[in-house]
Amino acid sequence: MTGQSADDRRAAAVAAAVGQGVVGAAHPVAGLLDVRGIREAVAALREAFAEAGGHVEVLHAFAVKAAALVPVLRLLADEGLGCEVASPGELALARAAGVPPGRTVLDSPAKTGAELREALALGIAVNADSREELARLDALVGSAPTGSPLGVRVNPQVGCGSIDALSTATETSKFGVALRDPGARDWLIGAYTDRPWLTRMHAHVGSQGCPLELMAEGVRIAYELAEEINGVVGRQQIDTLDIGGGLPVNFASDEVTPTFREYARLLAATVPGLFDGRYGLVTEFGRSLLAKSGTVLARVEYTKSAGGRRIAVTHAGAQVATRTVFAPESWPLRVAVFDALGRPKTSEPVPQDIAGPCCFAGDLVAVNRPLPLLEAGDHVALLDTGAYYFSNHFAYNSLPRPGVYGYALAEGESDGDDAVRFTPVRVPQTVDELVAESGEACAAGLTALR
């Protein structure tokens, strides 16, 4: 069993999830995470950068927003990764997972004074996102010593990928100090010259929809700026480059493309000095580490026809696949279909809509998709959903957050449901918990106001 492909492991997990009741009438939708797939992705990342420059110290800090789940962060930490956090909540999750402060990076365009004080007290690395934030750091660093590595995020303004909302190095991006704006380069050189404690530089071009060449160009520009600053100050003041993350994911097939190896080799060719040992590196990958290892599995509750179109009404819609429902051109998902026992259906494909449970007409994860004919009691699997789809729940219609389960195949040649072991990552939200979260304790508050 352990020699099976990711596709075979997924099929075995679906059958076992149905057979063991992980997905059923009581819990008609759940997230499934292939633990072996996650470990393999982390190994591929580490090996790729080691091949590009084995003598370079690299901290691979996982972008917590991609899977804000404590057990996932702990698994990644066990595999040698740190965390990149962008809110007090994400920092709390990283700490709960046991990620040390020294392996944590705080990025956000809207850090409060309290967030900065906490980070500096803990020794967490901070990338200032703006001139005003750097001024705030001036006051904090001046008032209390800190062991936090500090840097500035620069926007290399290299342009946009195919998804505007995920391109962070455009001319008018809200992120970082816009490097090509008038006077910005001189200001940055002066900022580092005046602050010997600024020892890092951060740049991130984007994620899904951004070609590798655009990302590498952003890294090259940041690297050249760091070289210029170090030349001006006459020493290696900037000792670490945070090159962000954002490797795109192929959502069209099981093939992993582009690969971490391809990106690391491109970086080495585009910015040779990046791997010569003078700079430490930080990366902030998220989606590319987890997407391929995740599946959203949901029951088909009803089927119907409208205007000659077959429709399968399932329990997986906008509440779990928000981006896909609202921006299907940018976030298409593959759909696999299984019968009531969790076995793959192989009948002749029929064009069908795969609809979710939310009460608006656009709650569709696939439209006119040729798939084996679905019937009530069957199951649909939304593939490549290991990143963002589990931890960014959209609480439309007060639908509870589904459970998430990691899985692994048992050693040996055993078959059947017991060949797959599940462990909860997040238990399903109960209706009582949902009601409490929705202000139950404050129920009488508004009626008391006159």
Side-chain angles (χ1 to χ4, degrees):
M1 293 288 284
T2 54
Q4 291 184 339
S5 68
D7 184 42
D8 291 335
R9 295 197 303 269
R10 180 173 59 227
V14 168
V18 175
Q20 296 181 32
V22 172
V23 171
H27 299 294
V29 59
L32 307 179
L33 273 172
D34 179 358
V35 173
R36 178 177 168 185
I38 295 172
R39 293 187 189 274
E40 289 176 347
V42 173
L45 170 61
R46 298 180 67 180
E47 289 167 7
F49 276 75
E51 288 174 6
H55 52 294
V56 174
E57 183 179 347
V58 184
L59 168 63
H60 295 296
F62 175 73
V64 172
K65 56 184 169 289
L69 299 162
V70 170
V72 171
L73 304 183
R74 180 165 292 187
L75 170 64
L76 294 173
D78 187 61
E79 293 295 309
L81 269 59
C83 279
E84 183 263 342
V85 302
S87 72
E90 289 185 356
L91 175 56
L93 296 179
R95 296 185 71 186
V99 179
R103 300 185 66 78
T104 304
V105 180
L106 174 61
D107 292 322
S108 163
K111 307 179 197 73
T112 66
E115 288 178 68
L116 291 172
R117 282 191 292 274
E118 179 183 24
L120 297 184
L122 292 171
I124 289 169
V126 176
N127 293 313
D129 191 77
S130 65
R131 301 186 188 203
E132 290 184 358
E133 185 181 338
L134 185 57
R136 186 173 287 179
L137 282 176
D138 283 337
L140 293 173
V141 170
S143 64
T146 178
S148 292
L150 303 175
V152 176
R153 177 170 182 168
V154 299
N155 172 10
Q157 292 174 295
V158 292
C160 189
S162 62
I163 304 176
D164 291 352
L166 296 186
S167 299
T168 58
T170 61
E171 286 292 318
T172 57
S173 172
K174 74 175 188 178
F175 290 102
V177 177
L179 183 56
R180 298 196 325 197
D181 280 13
R185 193 178 194 94
D186 289 341
W187 178 85
L188 280 163
I189 293 171
Y192 277 86
T193 301
D194 295 341
R195 299 168 177 83
W197 43 266
L198 280 179
T199 60
R200 290 191 173 190
M201 182 169 291
H202 178 222
H204 174 67
V205 167
S207 53
Q208 195 68 19
C210 289
L212 300 189
E213 293 76 14
L214 190 71
M215 295 163 58
E217 178 65 6
V219 174
R220 182 190 66 79
I221 290 171
Y223 168 83
E224 290 180 351
L225 176 60
E227 289 280 271
E228 182 177 356
I229 290 170
N230 285 341
V232 169
V233 300
R235 63 185 180 87
Q236 184 84 28
Q237 177 174 321
I238 299 176
D239 57 25
T240 301
L241 296 172
D242 185 333
I243 62 173
L247 200 68
V249 168
N250 166 35
F251 288 100
S253 73
D254 278 333
E255 182 183 5
V256 176
T257 180
T259 65
F260 292 119
R261 178 173 281 109
E262 289 168 344
Y263 182 46
R265 287 177 175 175
L266 179 61
L267 284 174
T270 306
V271 199
L274 198 65
F275 294 100
D276 67 10
R278 290 179 299 121
Y279 291 96
L281 296 180
V282 177
T283 72
E284 300 173 355
F285 295 102
R287 178 182 297 105
S288 50
L289 283 165
L290 290 186
K292 288 293 180 187
S293 295
T295 302
V296 173
L297 183 62
R299 289 180 72 244
V300 177
E301 196 65 40
Y302 301 106
T303 60
K304 61 173 71 173
S305 293
R309 178 81 57 80
R310 288 281 301 184
I311 303 169
V313 181
T314 80
H315 289 273
Q319 90 280 23
V320 291
T322 314
R323 281 176 167 170
T324 295
V325 168
F326 288 107
E329 297 82 9
S330 297
W331 300 100
L333 286 177
R334 293 181 293 147
V335 179
V337 300
F338 300 83
D339 66 15
L341 299 178
R343 300 170 302 195
K345 299 195 79 169
T346 58
S347 57
E348 191 69 21
V350 176
Q352 298 167 83
D353 288 356
I354 308 300
C358 299
C359 285
F360 66 96
D363 187 28
L364 303 166
V365 297
V367 176
N368 206 25
R369 184 81 58 89
L371 295 166
L373 185 64
L374 284 158
E375 302 175 67
D378 286 345
H379 299 83
V380 298
L382 311 185
L383 309 185
D384 306 329
T385 48
Y388 292 95
Y389 288 84
F390 296 163
S391 64
N392 292 265
H393 186 77
F394 178 41
Y396 198 91
N397 290 139
S398 296
L399 289 164
R401 288 185 292 274
V404 180
Y405 302 86
Y407 66 84
L409 275 60
E411 297 288 342
E413 300 298 325
S414 59
D415 291 316
D417 294 347
D418 59 354
V420 180
R421 294 175 290 118
F422 292 98
T423 187
V425 173
R426 181 185 67 203
V427 298
Q429 185 181 32
T430 67
V431 171
D432 286 345
E433 289 169 338
L434 191 152
V435 170
E437 185 179 85
S438 299
E440 181 185 24
C442 307
L446 295 180
T447 60
L449 295 179
R450 292 290 187 270

